[in-house]
Amino acid sequence: MSWGTELWDQFDNLEKHTQWGLDFLDKYAKFVKERLEIEQNYAKQLRNLVKKFCPKRSSKEEEPRFTSCIAFYNILNELNDYAGQREVVAEEIGHRVYAEIMKYSYELKAERKSHLQEGRRAQQYLEMCMKQMDSSKKKFERECREAEKAQQTYERLDNDANATKSDVEKAKQQLNLRTHMADESKNEYAAQLQNYNAEQHKHFYIVIPQVYKHLQEMDERRTVKLSECYKGFADAERKVIPIISKCLEGMVQAAKSVDERRDSQIVVDCFKSGFEPPGDYPFEDYSQHIYRTVSDGTISTPKPEVTRIDPKITMGKAKGKLWLFGKKPKGPALEDFSHLPPEQRRKKLQQRIDELNRELQKEIDQKEALNKMKDVYEKSPQMGDPSSLQPKIAETMSNIEKLRTEIQKNEAWLSEVEGKVSQRSERRHSAEANHLVAQGRESPEGSYTEDANQEGRIQTQPPVHTEFDDEFDDDDPLPAIGHCKAIYPFDGNNEGTLAMKEGEVMYIIEEDKGDGWTRARRQNGEEGYVPTSYIDVTLEKNSKVCTA
């Protein structure tokens, strides 16, 4: 099967077909380019998505601790690796497919142009030979007619008795001339015809088949190149499948690592205050006056005076115990973390002691290294001056002393907190025992026994208050001195701060004292500090007092 023999007369159609082939190649190149851009944009959007949802670890306080959060961030890391593989696919497609196909398309266009020009030249040469042959044919035909006319003239004069001999002789010469010219035209026409036939045979059996053969080979190479590009396109995807599979497997493993029980324990560790639950309210016997009136006429043992407890004071104490369940601490954080509940304070102090110990170990290692270097300099003075290390050694020793002092101070605070926690635990067990005894003294009707001594003992027993009652008594709510509107949202993750949403309106109960924080209160009474730069403050001279 050859275009040269099968399609010898289809030059125009082959020209159109090869042009269509190049257009299709350009069309596929455009498809590859757009697919390349899609892959690049997809990878870019994935990376932006990962960056958007990755935690901004500006401090250790914001590091994720819950297994669900850690799993999610691991999934984000795997997704980031997946985006990198999409970039690899885009790069592979760009280099192996798009760049090669554009280069090959340019080469094919130049090759096609050369072959078509060669075919057109051969066609033009054949047409020129045909014109020459046709011209010689027409000349031969014209000379033959002139010779026939000359012969007719000669025969007419030769048969005419009135014609002179000179006229007959002249006609004979003209006949010989025309006959000679007709013979020359005949010979020229025969030569041109033979030449045209030879060129025509050469054109259709040698030149054009050769041109069509080149065009056929070019078109077949174009088809093979497309096939290779199709395969390269698929290979670019296949190469990243193992790594993508690992990314997906990593996501699955991250999902399996979620532990709901561990997350629940982290919540306990994070928010456990170490305080004791509030104790029972004491029984207040308002029937004392009735009993005395009934027994006025009888002689009875006087009952001890019952100490009455003001319910408001009791409620105030109870509220003082529960402030940390509904409100944030007042004021900024303190160095010894005394503004925090006991359990949280203990954990913060322990974390600080661990960090100080690590820093102390670094300084000790540095001191040992400097001493070794000093010994080397003393043994080999040419390597350096030992006295040059003395300032650095002195600075290191000073840092070590400071760190040890700081560790001792924090350990003292920690011992104080741990001692208070253990004391509270003992008192709590004691209170629970007393509570069970008090329940045993109640009658089935729910009233106390009529034993005067027992009754007096029970009624005069003051409510049990732990030592942190005085520390956390809830003062009267501060009056509002204005209001504010949140310009930006604020998370309020730190102790003593108040979370707010954009556009939220709150009361101002304490102005900014130069530290960049303003104390605010919500409508529900929740208080805390918010960044002054995040709110629009409006102070009022006569503002109402907002109760919590």
Side-chain angles (χ1 to χ4, degrees), residues 213-276:
K213 179 183 178 183
H214 294 326
L215 290 175
Q216 181 180 358
E217 292 175 351
M218 181 198 73
D219 192 69
E220 289 175 353
R221 289 200 310 273
R222 174 191 65 83
T223 306
V224 171
K225 191 64 178 180
L226 278 173
S227 175
E228 293 176 353
C229 290
Y230 295 160
K231 184 176 180 296
F233 201 95
D235 288 340
E237 291 278 355
R238 186 183 293 112
K239 283 183 178 180
V240 300
I241 286 178
I243 302 179
I244 290 178
S245 298
K246 291 182 179 179
C247 294
L248 297 177
E249 182 63 26
M251 295 180 184
V252 173
Q253 293 299 326
K256 291 180 179 179
S257 67
V258 176
D259 187 351
E260 68 279 5
R261 302 299 297 175
R262 179 176 175 81
D263 285 359
S264 298
Q265 184 60 41
I266 290 175
V267 174
V268 173
D269 295 340
C270 182
F271 299 112
K272 182 179 179 181
S273 65
F275 288 115
E276 300 173 24

Side-chain angles (χ1 to χ4, degrees), residues 35 39 42 78 81-93 96 232-248:
R35 172 64 187 278
E39 289 289 349
Y42 180 47
E78 297 294 345
D81 295 340
Y82 176 82
Q85 295 308 306
R86 302 320 305 177
E87 291 175 347
V88 171
V89 171
E91 183 178 359
E92 190 75 11
I93 291 175
R96 287 194 54 190
F233 201 95
D235 288 340
E237 291 278 355
R238 186 183 293 112
K239 283 183 178 180
V240 300
I241 286 178
I243 302 179
I244 290 178
S245 298
K246 291 182 179 179
C247 294
L248 297 177

Side-chain angles (χ1 to χ4, degrees), residues 205-350:
Y205 288 95
I206 299 176
V207 178
I208 288 298
Q210 190 70 19
V211 173
Y212 287 3
K213 179 183 178 183
H214 294 326
L215 290 175
Q216 181 180 358
E217 292 175 351
M218 181 198 73
D219 192 69
E220 289 175 353
R221 289 200 310 273
R222 174 191 65 83
T223 306
V224 171
K225 191 64 178 180
L226 278 173
S227 175
E228 293 176 353
C229 290
Y230 295 160
K231 184 176 180 296
F233 201 95
D235 288 340
E237 291 278 355
R238 186 183 293 112
K239 283 183 178 180
V240 300
I241 286 178
I243 302 179
I244 290 178
S245 298
K246 291 182 179 179
C247 294
L248 297 177
E249 182 63 26
M251 295 180 184
V252 173
Q253 293 299 326
K256 291 180 179 179
S257 67
V258 176
D259 187 351
E260 68 279 5
R261 302 299 297 175
R262 179 176 175 81
D263 285 359
S264 298
Q265 184 60 41
I266 290 175
V267 174
V268 173
D269 295 340
C270 182
F271 299 112
K272 182 179 179 181
S273 65
F275 288 115
E276 300 173 24
D280 295 340
Y281 285 101
F283 177 77
E284 300 178 24
D285 192 357
Y286 296 101
S287 62
Q288 291 293 325
H289 180 69
I290 299 175
Y291 293 154
R292 288 173 183 171
T293 303
V294 172
S295 60
D296 276 345
T298 61
I299 300 174
S300 62
T301 305
K303 299 180 181 179
E305 185 178 351
V306 177
T307 303
R308 297 201 176 187
I309 301 171
D310 190 354
K312 295 182 179 179
I313 297 177
T314 307
M315 288 295 293
K317 293 290 184 179
K319 288 170 63 180
K321 295 177 185 179
L322 296 176
W323 66 264
L324 50 93
F325 296 101
K327 298 182 181 180
K328 298 290 185 181
K330 300 176 182 179
L334 301 177
E335 182 185 5
D336 60 351
F337 301 114
S338 59
H339 63 289
L340 297 177
E343 185 66 22
Q344 300 300 322
R345 183 186 180 191
R346 182 186 65 78
K347 296 172 78 172
K348 291 287 185 181
L349 288 173
Q350 187 63 53

Side-chain angles (χ1 to χ4, degrees), residues 34-60:
E34 293 185 5
R35 172 64 187 278
L36 173 64
E37 292 173 352
I38 289 174
E39 289 289 349
Q40 291 173 341
N41 293 333
Y42 180 47
K44 182 179 179 181
Q45 291 175 3
L46 283 179
R47 288 196 182 277
N48 290 337
L49 181 67
V50 170
K51 183 179 179 181
K52 178 180 178 181
F53 286 94
C54 270
K56 299 175 178 60
R57 300 184 181 179
S58 57
S59 65
K60 293 184 178 180

